[in-house]
Amino acid sequence: MQPMPDDPPGSLPLGMEVPSATCFLMVFPIPHEQAMPYDDPDEVIEGIHCSLAQDQGLVEVNTSATAKGKRVIYSVVKTAVQPAGTQYALTLNLECTVHDLCIQGFFDEAGATGMRDAAVFSMTGASPDDWRRDPYDPVITDGYLMNRSELPEYDPAFPDHPLSLLRSLVCELVESN
């Protein structure tokens, strides 16, 4: 893939398809001061909460350090896609020496959607009231909230699900940098 004229300078676009997901990544350098605050995930969470549309929900915000000690911060926001399905958007910043890297990723459900949700719902026997929640603020009850099937513990059972692929990419980036 080649970058488009309006893509950020130095962009590297990447794409991948599997039967249950379509994935698109854009990797590009950013100045240090444009990175999310590596040491303040609460600020990132608050900013995301303030900007979510009714068809969106926060799945996770996390910080870590790579194997070489570089700081990483990322967020995952989901959006309902019409007529059915979910898109998981990754924004990841990786601290580097000259500049930081920004990775924007979009991981869309493809094919038969909702299979992970249905399987986990039946496995857990969760009540509808206990199924959906914001992972950081129990007061938030509106929007397209995270559901139990989106917890990381279910990723191994659904390795080709877009959210599992997203988290696998994050792990690979952290382990290899």
Side-chain angles (χ1 to χ4, degrees):
M1 285 184 153
Q2 294 295 317
M4 299 299 286
D6 289 337
D7 289 344
S11 294
L12 174 64
L14 303 164
M16 176 183 91
E17 274 189 86
V18 295
S20 59
T22 301
C23 311
F24 175 77
L25 291 175
M26 181 70 70
V27 181
F28 54 95
I30 59 172
H32 297 300
E33 59 273 5
Q34 288 182 9
M36 291 182 281
Y38 292 104
D39 298 322
D40 195 355
D42 290 337
E43 182 181 334
V44 175
I45 292 165
E46 183 179 328
I48 292 170
H49 278 147
C50 290
S51 65
L52 290 174
Q54 199 60 23
D55 64 348
Q56 294 181 306
L58 178 57
V59 175
E60 70 186 83
V61 171
N62 207 345
T63 62
S64 65
T66 68
K68 296 176 184 169
K70 298 174 183 176
R71 296 183 299 173
V72 175
I73 186 167
Y74 69 92
S75 67
V76 179
V77 172
K78 70 178 192 171
T79 303
V81 177
Q82 297 304 326
T86 301
Q87 177 184 79
Y88 296 92
L90 168 69
T91 302
L92 182 143
N93 293 154
L94 172 64
E95 183 179 51
C96 296
T97 307
V98 176
H99 51 72
D100 292 353
L101 280 182
C102 182
I103 299 172
Q104 291 277 189
F106 301 95
F107 297 73
D108 292 24
E109 284 185 307
T113 63
M115 302 204 26
R116 177 175 172 150
D117 297 348
V120 173
F121 187 80
S122 68
M123 278 191 307
T124 62
S127 72
D129 293 337
D130 192 33
W131 179 248
R132 301 177 334 114
R133 66 176 175 79
D134 183 273
Y136 302 101
D137 189 345
V139 174
I140 296 173
T141 57
D142 288 335
Y144 191 45
L145 301 175
M146 178 183 175
N147 69 60
R148 280 185 158 190
S149 77
E150 293 164 330
L151 292 170
E153 64 200 62
Y154 297 109
D155 290 350
F158 304 93
D160 288 335
H161 185 271
L163 185 55
S164 301
L165 294 169
L166 181 155
R167 288 189 178 124
S168 178
L169 171 70
V170 170
C171 278
E172 182 65 33
L173 289 167
V174 169
E175 291 172 5
S176 66
N177 284 287

